[in-house]
Amino acid sequence: MVTAAATALLGMAGLAITATSAEAAVGPRPNFQLPFPCNQVWNGDNDNSSAHRAYEIDFNRGGSADADLGDTVVAAAAGKVVISAHQGSANGFGNLVKIDHGGGWSTYYAHLKVRSVALNAQVTQGQKIGEVGNTSKPGNNISPHLHYEVRTNDSSWPSNIKPAYFNGVKFGYPNANVTSKNTCGGNGNPNPYDAVEVCGDGYKVIDSQALGSAATTYLLYNGTNKNNCVTTIKSASVGTASAVSAFLEVQGSARKTDSGSFEYYAGPVSAAAGAKCVRWGGSAGSSSYESPLEHCG
């Protein structure tokens, strides 16, 4: 439902708000969910705006031009609000919220009627961050919709706009209806990463150990390449750097460890195990776990 007046002003927005002093490597993609409450069905449109340069999506669900005005917009994943401002006079985004999810990933929510979060706020997945609107550059008359983008900081605009994934599934470009699974299980997830996201495709969790309320250490296995992987996912002080670690030791080989002050997780630590036993574990703050040699073969 974006009117023709949306023009290339949005395209120029990428140049106006993504400048960085240095490019950085990108970590695993967070477990993004649709930026709307649980079980709502929204239509995403990628090719009906001359402003789109890559994988941007405009969301609507109502049958009339103003049907979605004021509908709730929620965070696609947990993170820190790094922009909460009206950007219209500069680039046509109008009321914009940008969330930094760590690992070089961020999401953009544009044209909001209102912004419900302040700069530097730490938000959980599924938390309300604004309402669908039609704010933009003065004179740029658009119908209400949510303009949504996923970006990384490893390249310049527009190649830093990446395909959107929701609940682990790539959006069906150029147009698709998507049902939200955001916070359908209850409270929002404070950490935008899960163990499979960190270790990568093909891995499955085979064991885990809670480290108090601070984090959980996971052991995963990939049946294709016979590799084990360990990661420690934080559940407290998420988004704030704190001491966390993960280790993996294959029987007869030296222990591999990733430790430091991390915002979201430690790891991944991976190694080929084959038919050998492994010792695994991790720590978060004062809590730690070390398994016996187990999961042999």
Side-chain angles (χ1 to χ4, degrees):
M1 290 189 183
V2 186
T3 64
T7 68
L9 288 170
L10 293 180
M12 293 304 294
L15 299 177
I17 62 179
T18 59
T20 56
S21 58
E23 294 183 346
V26 175
R29 183 182 62 248
N31 185 27
F32 292 122
Q33 299 292 334
L34 198 72
F36 300 105
C38 175
N39 286 331
Q40 289 187 359
V41 180
W42 287 77
N43 177 261
D45 189 291
N46 169 258
D47 64 354
N48 195 33
S49 173
S50 60
H52 291 176
R53 295 293 179 267
Y55 295 102
E56 306 99 313
I57 303 173
D58 291 338
F59 282 107
N60 284 104
R61 66 170 178 163
S64 63
D66 294 329
D68 308 317
L69 183 65
D71 280 6
T72 295
V73 177
V74 303
K80 182 180 180 180
V81 177
V82 292
I83 295 177
S84 180
H86 195 295
Q87 298 266 326
S89 59
N91 51 50
F93 268 148
N95 276 319
L96 173 71
V97 170
K98 175 187 175 182
I99 301 176
D100 181 355
H101 304 286
W105 293 87
S106 59
T107 49
Y108 289 67
Y109 312 77
H111 306 312
L112 299 173
K113 177 182 178 183
V114 295
R115 292 172 281 110
S116 304
V117 289
L119 181 67
N120 296 323
Q122 193 73 35
V123 297
T124 59
Q125 187 175 67
Q127 179 178 333
K128 182 178 179 178
I129 61 171
E131 297 176 4
V132 174
N134 59 347
T135 56
S136 186
K137 189 179 181 70
N140 190 32
N141 297 316
I142 59 175
S143 57
H145 67 281
L146 176 69
H147 178 93
Y148 175 82
E149 298 182 16
V150 178
R151 298 194 189 186
T152 58
N153 63 0
D154 62 334
S155 56
S156 59
W157 183 86
S159 59
N160 63 343
I161 304 175
K162 304 302 182 183
Y165 281 72
F166 303 115
N167 202 37
V169 178
K170 185 179 179 181
F171 177 73
Y173 289 94
N175 306 289
N177 289 326
V178 184
T179 300
S180 177
K181 301 301 180 183
N182 204 325
T183 64
C184 288
N187 294 329
N189 183 2
N191 196 315
Y193 297 92
D194 61 29
V196 173
E197 294 278 344
V198 173
C199 286
D201 293 340
Y203 282 92
K204 295 183 178 180
V205 175
I206 59 173
D207 208 343
S208 64
Q209 176 65 44
L211 302 175
S213 61
T216 299
T217 297
Y218 295 89
L219 175 67
L220 298 88
Y221 182 70
N222 187 318
T224 300
N225 59 23
K226 311 301 182 184
N227 281 4
N228 283 100
C229 178
V230 178
T231 180
T232 300
I233 308 292
K234 295 174 60 176
S235 50
S237 300
V238 176
T240 301
S242 61
V244 62
S245 71
F247 76 84
L248 174 63
E249 179 183 328
V250 178
Q251 188 173 20
S253 301
R255 176 174 297 188
K256 300 175 67 175
T257 302
D258 182 44
S259 63
S261 187
F262 303 126
E263 294 181 340
Y264 296 98
Y265 60 85
V269 182
S270 60
K276 296 183 179 180
C277 304
V278 297
R279 182 178 283 115
W280 62 280
S283 65
S286 60
S287 299
S288 62
Y289 172 74
E290 179 172 321
S291 79
L293 280 170
E294 58 183 5
H295 295 293
C296 307

